C-alpha cells in the first residue's frame, strides 16, 4: 500500500513537472511569461533657475507635497539689489526720454524762428533787387542781402536736421529703445527674484533629499526629486518570440515580489518599437561580435503595462513577474496556475 502511494505521488510529481516544463517551453509562443518587470513612476527633478546660497529647506524626506508648495528658498539679497538697480535704470531712461522730448519742442521753436528769419531775408532780397533795377541801391547792397538769404537758409536746414535727429532718438513712439531695454531688464530681475522661492510644479513625494541650509547651489543643478505617484506603470521585458501576443489591450496577470500570494490584473498599454543598439550608438560602423555558442540569448521586447487597483505601498522599482493571458488558448489555465505558484514562491525567496 505504501509503495502504491509513493508510486502515485511520484507519477503526480512527474506529471506536474512535465506539464509545467511543457508550459515553460511553449509559453513564449502561446502565453508569454517574464520575471523581468519593474514598477515605474514619473520622477520630477527639481532644479533652481538661479544660483545662490540655500536659505531655508521647507520639506523633509518622504513628505507629500502639492503643486505650488514651497520646497526651499535661496538667499534673495543680491537679486533684490538687481531689481533696485533695474528700477533706477528705468527711471533714468524715462527721464532721458522726457528730456529728449523737451529738446524736440525747443528745436521745433528754433525751426520756426529760422523759418521766419529766412522769409524776412527773402523779402529783403526781393526789395533790394527792385531798388537795384531802379538804380536806388548798389550792387554791394544786393550781394549783402543775397548772402543773408543763404545764411538764413543754411540755419533753417540745420534746424530741420536737428529735429530729424531728435525724432530718430524718440523713434516716433511713446517709448524708445532705451526704455524698452530698461523695462526688459527690470522684468528679468524681478523674475529672478521670484525664482529664489522654489515651489513644486506637481504633486508628489520628496525622495532622496540631501539639501542643506547654507550650501551653495548653481542654476540648473538637480536639487531634489519628487515621485509622482499618480502616474504609474509597469515595464516588462518579454522574449521577442511572443511578439504576436504583446498587443495593446491584452490582459496580463502580475505577481509582485513585495506582495507574495497576491495577483494583480493589468493590461498592455503599448509596445516599444525600438531598442538601444550599444554596438552602434553613434551611427558609425557596427562592431561585429563573434559568438561561438550554438544557442544565443533571445532579444527582448519591452512593453508598458497599466495595473488595476495597484497597492500604493509599492515603491518605484518594485520587481514583478508577468504572465500574458489568452482566454482562447488551451494553455491559459496552466499560465494562470503558474503565475499563482510564482506568487506563492515569493513567501520563500
Amino acid at each position: 500500500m505504501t509503495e502504491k502511494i509513493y508510486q502515485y505521488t511520484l507519477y503526480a510529481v512527474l506529471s506536474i513537472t512535465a506539464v509545467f516544463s511543457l508550459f515553460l517551453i511553449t509559453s513564449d509562443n502561446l502565453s508569454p511569461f517574464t520575471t523581468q518587470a519593474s514598477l515605474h513612476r514619473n520622477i520630477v527633478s527639481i532644479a533652481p533657475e538661479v544660483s545662490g546660497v540655500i536659505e531655508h529647506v521647507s520639506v523633509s524626506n518622504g513628505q507629500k507635497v502639492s503643486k505650488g508648495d514651497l520646497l526651499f528658498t535661496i538667499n534673495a539679497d543680491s537679486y533684490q539689489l538687481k531689481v533696485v538697480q533695474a528700477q533706477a535704470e528705468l527711471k533714468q531712461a524715462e527721464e532721458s526720454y522726457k528730456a529728449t522730448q523737451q529738446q524736440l519742442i525747443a528745436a521745433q521753436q528754433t525751426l520756426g524762428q529760422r523759418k521766419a528769419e529766412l522769409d524776412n531775408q527773402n523779402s529783403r532780397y526781393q526789395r533790394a533787387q527792385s531798388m537795384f533795377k531802379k538804380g536806388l541801391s548798389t550792387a554791394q547792397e544786393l550781394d549783402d542781402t543775397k548772402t543773408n538769404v543763404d545764411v538764413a537758409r543754411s540755419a533753417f536746414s540745420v534746424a530741420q536736421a536737428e529735429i530729424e535727429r531728435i525724432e530718430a532718438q524718440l523713434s516716433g513712439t511713446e517709448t524708445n529703445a532705451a526704455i524698452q531695454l530698461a523695462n526688459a531688464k527690470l522684468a528679468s530681475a524681478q523674475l529672478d527674484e521670484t525664482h529664489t522661492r522654489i515651489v513644486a510644479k506637481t504633486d508628489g513625494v520628496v525622495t532622496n533629499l540631501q539639501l542643506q541650509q547654507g550650501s551653495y547651489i548653481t542654476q540648473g543643478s538637480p536639487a531634489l526629486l519628487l515621485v509622482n505617484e499618480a502616474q504609474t506603470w509597469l515595464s516588462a521585458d518579454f522574449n521577442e518570440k511572443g511578439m504576436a501576443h504583446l498587443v495593446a489591450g491584452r490582459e496580463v496577470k502580475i505577481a509582485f515580489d513585495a506582495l507574495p500570494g497576491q495577483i494583480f490584473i493589468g493590461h498592455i498599454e503599448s509596445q516599444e518599437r525600438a531598442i538601444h543598439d550599444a554596438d552602434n550608438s553613434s551611427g558609425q560602423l557596427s562592431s561585429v561580435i563573434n559568438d561561438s555558442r550554438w544557442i544565443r540569448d533571445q532579444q527582448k521586447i519591452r512593453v508598458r503595462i497599466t495595473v488595476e487597483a495597484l497597492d500604493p505601498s509599492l515603491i518605484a522599482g518594485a520587481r514583478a513577474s508577468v504572465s500574458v493571458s489568452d482566454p482562447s488558448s488551451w494553455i491559459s489555465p496552466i499560465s494562470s496556475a503558474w503565475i499563482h505558484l510564482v506568487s506563492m514562491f515569493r513567501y520563500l525567496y
Side-chain angles (χ1 to χ4, degrees):
M1 185 64 180
T2 304
E3 294 181 357
K4 290 290 185 182
I5 295 175
Y6 288 151
Q7 183 179 1
Y8 292 146
T9 302
L10 179 60
Y11 289 160
V13 171
L14 292 177
S15 298
I16 293 173
T17 303
V19 169
F20 279 109
S21 297
L22 179 63
F23 164 72
L24 293 176
I25 294 172
T26 60
S27 62
D28 286 340
N29 297 308
L30 300 177
S31 182
F33 172 82
T34 183
T35 59
Q36 299 180 21
S38 58
L39 190 68
H40 293 267
R41 288 189 173 96
N42 276 344
I43 308 297
V44 181
S45 179
I46 305 297
E49 298 183 54
V50 294
S51 302
V53 176
I54 297 175
E55 192 171 57
H56 180 68
V57 180
S58 303
V59 294
S60 57
N61 195 55
Q63 178 179 339
K64 290 184 178 181
V65 297
S66 301
K67 182 178 180 180
D69 287 351
L70 180 65
L71 301 177
F72 64 95
T73 59
I74 293 175
N75 187 281
D77 291 346
S78 61
Y79 296 101
Q80 291 171 350
L81 289 175
K82 290 180 180 179
V83 171
V84 174
Q85 180 183 0
Q87 290 172 337
E89 291 179 359
L90 175 59
K91 184 176 181 180
Q92 185 180 25
E94 291 173 341
E95 291 176 350
S96 177
Y97 181 76
K98 292 178 181 178
T100 305
Q101 287 180 317
Q102 295 300 321
Q103 291 177 3
L104 178 61
I105 294 173
Q108 290 171 339
Q109 293 175 348
T110 301
L111 179 64
Q113 294 175 359
R114 298 294 180 265
K115 180 66 168 60
E117 292 174 358
L118 178 59
D119 293 341
N120 183 38
Q121 294 299 331
N122 278 326
S123 298
R124 287 186 178 184
Y125 179 62
Q126 291 174 0
R127 288 195 299 271
Q129 284 181 321
S130 178
M131 293 177 66
F132 179 75
K133 290 178 181 179
K134 295 178 180 179
L136 299 177
S137 64
T138 64
Q140 182 63 45
E141 291 175 337
L142 180 62
D143 291 342
D144 289 342
T145 55
K146 179 65 171 61
T147 301
N148 291 337
V149 169
D150 293 338
V151 172
R153 184 177 291 110
S154 177
F156 179 76
S157 299
V158 171
Q160 281 184 319
E162 179 65 10
I163 289 178
E164 292 176 357
R165 183 187 67 80
I166 297 174
E167 287 178 342
Q169 288 183 343
L170 296 176
S171 304
T173 60
E174 295 182 358
T175 59
N176 63 357
I179 293 179
Q180 293 174 357
L181 181 61
N183 272 318
K185 187 174 182 179
L186 175 59
S188 178
Q190 291 173 334
L191 185 62
D192 285 344
E193 184 184 8
T194 62
H195 286 160
T196 59
R197 292 175 53 84
I198 292 82
V199 299
K201 302 299 182 181
T202 184
D203 299 343
V205 178
V206 179
T207 186
N208 195 28
L209 179 64
Q210 299 181 17
L211 286 181
Q212 292 293 329
Q213 180 179 348
S215 59
Y216 185 86
I217 190 168
T218 58
Q219 176 185 2
S221 60
L224 57 83
L225 301 174
L226 289 181
V227 180
N228 186 356
E229 297 190 345
Q231 299 180 358
T232 307
W233 70 94
L234 193 72
S235 288
D237 298 336
F238 292 91
N239 289 335
E240 61 182 348
K241 290 192 301 182
M243 184 172 57
H245 299 276
L246 305 177
V247 295
R250 180 63 59 87
E251 182 180 288
V252 300
K253 294 182 179 179
I254 306 161
F256 287 99
D257 294 1
L259 301 173
Q262 300 184 42
I263 298 297
F264 294 83
I265 302 299
H267 292 85
I268 295 178
E269 178 182 334
S270 62
Q271 180 187 122
E272 301 296 342
R273 302 305 300 164
I275 62 171
H276 174 66
D277 186 358
D279 296 327
N280 193 21
S281 58
S282 59
Q284 299 180 5
L285 296 178
S286 297
S287 176
V288 178
I289 301 176
N290 292 319
D291 193 349
S292 59
R293 292 180 299 176
W294 179 54
I295 300 177
R296 53 180 167 76
D297 294 335
Q298 297 185 46
Q299 183 59 271
K300 300 290 185 180
I301 294 179
R302 174 160 296 183
V303 299
R304 177 176 290 203
I305 299 170
T306 56
V307 186
E308 300 177 2
L310 182 68
D311 192 319
S313 65
L314 289 170
I315 65 170
R319 302 302 298 271
S321 301
V322 181
S323 176
V324 179
S325 300
D326 186 1
S328 62
S329 175
W330 62 268
I331 205 173
S332 180
I334 303 176
S335 174
S336 178
W338 175 251
I339 193 68
H340 280 82
L341 185 61
V342 169
S343 178
M344 297 302 294
F345 281 161
R346 296 308 178 196
Y347 282 110
L348 302 177
Y349 68 99

